[in-house]
Amino acid sequence: MSILDKRHNTVAFASLALLAALPSVQGNTSGEDLSELSLEELANVPVVESAKKNQKLFDTPAGAIVFNEEEIQSLPVDSLPELLRYAPGVNIVRATNGVWGLSIRGINSRFLGRAQFTVDDQNLYGNAFGGLYGAQHDLSMDDIASVEVVYGPGGGLWGANSANGQINVILKSALETEGTVLRTQVGTEQSSVSGRVGWAIGDKSAIRVSAKSMHRTASESDFVDDTWDTYRLGVQFDTRPSSADLFTISAEAYKSDLGYTRDGADPSQGTYWIDQGAEIHQGFNAQTKWLRQIDAENGFTIRSWAGYTEMRAPYGDFDFSIVGVEGKARMSINDKQRLVFRTSVAVDNIEFYESSSVQFKSDYEPHTTYASSSAEYSIDLTESLQASIGLTAQYDTYSEETELLPSLKLVKRLEKDSRLWLSISESTRSVPNGMDDLSNFVFFGAPMETITIPTPYGNVPISTQFVTAQTADDIENEHLDAYEIGYRTRISNTSDFVLNVFYYEYRNLIGSLDGGVFPVFTGAIPYLEISSTISNFAHGHSSGFEATYSTQINKKIDANISYSYLADSYTPILAPGTTLADSPLQFSDLQVLDNGVPNHIASAWIFAQLNDDWRLDLGFRASSSFTNSLYKQSSIFQSDIRLSWNPRENTRLSLVGRNLLDPKTDESMLRHNFGYGTEQARELSLELRLEF
């Protein structure tokens, strides 16, 4: 069997997500004046990170979509990744039950993502590998106030590693979650129970405690057992010592136990096997935040955080801890000019553990300090034209590189209900610690047709091949230049249309370079080693658009339709004297990069209030097929449904169906997922939600 015939991805580790995003109180989907909102309301309006100022979503100079609380509760989904399937331009791959890939505008990878994912300002990607781990995004949907998707790179707005976009989850404050909520679900594939208890402490403070437990059975597969269990416990305290101040303390602990199957290998023996084990994540996060909101244009936030995660998986083990502090200030110079400042410092510690197939450099530096500062200046050039210029400077002791990331945005008010915006920005994606410290990684072994190698001691038959990876010493950060233009219009009081068009230029993308093929006789069983080097292997460009139309058909029916198109192309970085025909591993990784996400993605949802007690929520999602050297992904057309009965205001009983149009959906192709993928089954569940 050739290595290109095996359904595996070539090796690479994840992105280093250095710092959290730059949230401030700045978005509002309604037409109300933000200066009239209370502090609690200002702290929980939908955040529009791209704006960096208090303004309506309609006026932000970037493509963005916000799922509000009603949509989060109504869509027939039970997790954040499933919710994001209904965002235009977002590609979600569920390789196995707890292994997700998230991409915005292309390049989907478990360990090489280019979209930031934050919850209440805190980045969920670990600095070791930067993947989207299931335990960390398995939040209770009842605690979420809004979910925002911002398209395009952060550039000068929120720093490095927010290359292709930003997912920002805003949790409800304890001040608005008094009482008790209990939700339980029993289904053919998944069962869960979650609850929240909140109570007031005097007139100005509140606290809530929330918990969730979920069990998901194995997906459709011949031999992979990816049964997934998660547990989560969180507490949040909010107090308002004055009308201008809001102080928050929050903490959570979590554990995820996911069945995981991959190829194991032992080079010292020349043996390989199917390793069926568990991928276990457990840890905690804690955060304190002080928000002073003087008025709609002036205020500051001081935030500190700490976190610890340990991961035990068949492909590698590590312990990761981090502490950090961040300050942000927003000020209005005058009626036409505004400034936003941010500075942050974080220190992490990563400890890697070796195995028979993974070795790290003996002199790797476990401690890394990150420092980042940014500023954005906005000015109203005319009554209808606004400009903003941003710059972020970021430095880390690991790479000893300083990145300067500029951005320029213009937004033009064409008429009362139409906006046109233009953006030019730059972003980077840092080389993660786990990749740069990699000494040797055997990421699979496979049988092959027996060959005979002549040696001084006679002919030696070889029938096993190993694929290994090392990291280049001169690997550089990835870079992205982005150009975007967008148009928003309010067609009527009940209908909106949004169109975003973009063009990206990628430089120094990270992937596999061929390192040669040679026999190894040192083990008990001789084998053929196919060596690769992780380095900057390609440049590229992509272009496309997202279009969304939302409307209220009548007082009882709302609808949303979206479509996105992506075209991308990548060219190899070749060593002198070599061609792509001489580099099968680089060719394979390039093909997976170039054909690893669908070109067409569409979704639609319809919310219908049938009568006072019954509601029907329908979701449809589709994506086109694609083929690369490792995998053929069929086109997907699926439907989700929720039929709800509300006999009382505080009681909802729902029948939820997922993946209804096909008994099995194979979407397991995920770049740099070291395990085997599975197929997702059709699901039915009964859900009860009580609030009292």
Side-chain angles (χ1 to χ4, degrees), residues 367-385:
H367 302 285
T368 306
T369 300
Y370 308 93
S372 177
S373 294
S374 64
E376 186 186 60
Y377 169 75
S378 300
I379 182 171
D380 297 332
L381 299 175
T382 68
E383 290 186 359
S384 62
L385 180 63

Side-chain angles (χ1 to χ4, degrees), residues 357-651:
S357 58
V358 181
Q359 294 84 43
F360 294 96
K361 298 175 182 178
S362 58
D363 60 345
Y364 79 85
E365 177 58 52
H367 302 285
T368 306
T369 300
Y370 308 93
S372 177
S373 294
S374 64
E376 186 186 60
Y377 169 75
S378 300
I379 182 171
D380 297 332
L381 299 175
T382 68
E383 290 186 359
S384 62
L385 180 63
Q386 181 189 96
S388 61
I389 302 173
L391 181 67
T392 290
Q394 183 157 322
Y395 173 80
D396 68 87
T397 58
Y398 187 81
S399 66
E400 297 184 346
E401 292 186 19
T402 299
E403 299 286 356
L404 297 176
L405 307 172
S407 69
L408 170 65
K409 291 180 180 289
L410 299 171
V411 59
K412 172 71 172 178
R413 181 184 302 169
L414 301 179
E415 52 190 53
K416 179 181 178 181
D417 293 324
S418 296
R419 304 289 186 271
L420 180 69
W421 57 267
L422 173 69
S423 169
I424 303 173
S425 54
E426 181 181 353
S427 186
T428 68
R429 185 185 177 282
S430 302
V431 182
N433 302 33
M435 179 186 299
D436 216 19
D437 289 324
L438 182 66
S439 174
N440 187 69
F441 179 31
V442 182
F443 60 99
F444 73 83
M448 67 180 198
E449 183 178 344
T450 301
I451 62 174
T452 301
I453 304 294
T455 72
Y457 307 100
N459 292 335
V460 177
I462 294 179
S463 58
T464 304
Q465 58 183 336
F466 284 179
V467 179
T468 65
Q470 302 82 32
T471 302
D473 293 331
D474 57 350
I475 190 169
E476 298 179 5
N477 292 345
E478 297 179 346
H479 285 263
L480 168 65
D481 296 322
Y483 308 88
E484 305 179 47
I485 187 170
Y487 174 71
R488 293 186 183 92
T489 183
R490 186 157 293 141
I491 301 172
S492 68
N493 291 333
T494 58
S495 300
D496 295 281
F497 175 75
V498 181
L499 176 65
N500 310 313
V501 182
F502 67 92
Y503 177 79
Y504 286 175
E505 282 283 353
Y506 295 99
R507 304 191 306 278
N508 295 329
L509 293 171
I510 296 172
S512 298
L513 298 177
D514 289 72
V517 180
F518 49 89
V520 178
F521 303 106
T522 55
I525 301 175
Y527 61 89
L528 197 67
E529 180 176 349
I530 303 171
S531 176
S532 66
T533 301
I534 306 305
S535 187
N536 305 107
F537 88 121
H539 305 306
H541 61 84
S542 65
S543 59
F545 67 88
E546 301 96 23
T548 302
Y549 174 72
S550 58
T551 184
Q552 184 180 54
I553 298 175
N554 55 45
K555 292 183 178 180
K556 293 186 176 182
I557 301 177
D558 294 313
N560 180 286
I561 302 172
S562 68
Y563 168 75
S564 61
Y565 172 75
L566 171 74
D568 53 6
S569 179
Y570 302 92
T571 57
I573 301 174
L574 296 171
T578 63
T579 66
L580 195 57
D582 304 321
S583 309
L585 288 179
Q586 186 177 7
F587 171 79
S588 175
D589 208 5
L590 195 67
Q591 283 289 301
V592 176
L593 183 69
D594 198 19
N595 299 286
V597 297
N599 296 117
H600 307 272
I601 299 176
S603 67
W605 75 68
I606 299 173
F607 298 155
Q609 190 70 45
L610 303 179
N611 56 40
D612 291 341
D613 298 334
W614 289 89
R615 178 182 176 117
L616 180 65
D617 302 313
L618 287 170
F620 297 92
R621 44 191 171 84
S623 58
S624 59
S625 62
F626 56 87
T627 302
N628 56 55
S629 59
L630 300 180
Y631 186 82
K632 181 177 181 179
Q633 170 66 62
S634 301
S635 60
I636 293 175
F637 179 60
Q638 281 290 13
S639 178
D640 307 321
I641 184 173
R642 179 192 297 274
L643 178 63
S644 302
W645 176 45
N646 296 82
R648 293 186 296 273
E649 184 178 357
N650 60 351
T651 303

Side-chain angles (χ1 to χ4, degrees), residues 6 8 261-265 273-275 442-445 674 676:
K6 193 171 180 61
H8 271 263
T261 301
R262 69 173 294 268
D263 292 318
W273 59 89
I274 300 296
D275 192 354
V442 182
F443 60 99
F444 73 83
F674 303 135
Y676 287 88

Side-chain angles (χ1 to χ4, degrees), residues 50 60-65 105 149-152 421 484 488 498 500 546:
S50 57
T60 58
I65 180 174
R105 295 178 172 175
V149 181
V150 179
Y151 300 92
W421 57 267
E484 305 179 47
R488 293 186 183 92
V498 181
N500 310 313
E546 301 96 23

Side-chain angles (χ1 to χ4, degrees), residues 228-462:
W228 187 28
D229 294 285
T230 65
Y231 312 92
R232 190 178 211 89
L233 177 65
V235 60
Q236 181 163 323
F237 170 78
D238 289 278
T239 185
R240 193 181 72 172
S242 72
S243 60
D245 296 289
L246 181 65
F247 186 73
T248 300
I249 302 175
S250 60
E252 64 173 0
Y254 57 86
K255 181 177 181 179
S256 172
D257 187 344
L258 170 67
Y260 198 83
T261 301
R262 69 173 294 268
D263 292 318
D266 187 350
S268 66
Q269 300 298 315
T271 57
Y272 67 92
W273 59 89
I274 300 296
D275 192 354
Q276 296 191 13
E279 180 176 301
I280 297 176
H281 299 258
Q282 56 188 7
F284 72 89
N285 293 308
Q287 184 171 224
T288 64
K289 186 188 301 184
W290 174 28
L291 167 68
R292 165 155 285 193
Q293 191 70 39
I294 301 170
D295 55 36
E297 296 286 351
N298 297 274
F300 65 82
T301 303
I302 298 175
R303 181 174 70 93
S304 63
W305 67 93
Y308 172 79
T309 298
E310 62 179 39
M311 185 193 77
R312 303 292 180 262
Y315 54 82
D317 300 340
F318 72 88
D319 294 340
F320 169 72
S321 59
I322 187 170
V323 295
V325 62
E326 177 186 73
K328 300 186 298 244
R330 304 170 298 279
M331 61 178 295
S332 175
I333 301 174
N334 53 42
D335 292 341
K336 294 185 177 182
Q337 301 178 75
R338 293 158 296 276
L339 275 177
V340 175
F341 298 97
R342 185 206 69 163
T343 186
S344 64
V345 177
V347 180
D348 70 26
N349 182 78
I350 301 175
E351 185 172 355
F352 297 109
Y353 299 94
E354 296 187 348
S355 66
S356 60
S357 58
V358 181
Q359 294 84 43
F360 294 96
K361 298 175 182 178
S362 58
D363 60 345
Y364 79 85
E365 177 58 52
H367 302 285
T368 306
T369 300
Y370 308 93
S372 177
S373 294
S374 64
E376 186 186 60
Y377 169 75
S378 300
I379 182 171
D380 297 332
L381 299 175
T382 68
E383 290 186 359
S384 62
L385 180 63
Q386 181 189 96
S388 61
I389 302 173
L391 181 67
T392 290
Q394 183 157 322
Y395 173 80
D396 68 87
T397 58
Y398 187 81
S399 66
E400 297 184 346
E401 292 186 19
T402 299
E403 299 286 356
L404 297 176
L405 307 172
S407 69
L408 170 65
K409 291 180 180 289
L410 299 171
V411 59
K412 172 71 172 178
R413 181 184 302 169
L414 301 179
E415 52 190 53
K416 179 181 178 181
D417 293 324
S418 296
R419 304 289 186 271
L420 180 69
W421 57 267
L422 173 69
S423 169
I424 303 173
S425 54
E426 181 181 353
S427 186
T428 68
R429 185 185 177 282
S430 302
V431 182
N433 302 33
M435 179 186 299
D436 216 19
D437 289 324
L438 182 66
S439 174
N440 187 69
F441 179 31
V442 182
F443 60 99
F444 73 83
M448 67 180 198
E449 183 178 344
T450 301
I451 62 174
T452 301
I453 304 294
T455 72
Y457 307 100
N459 292 335
V460 177
I462 294 179

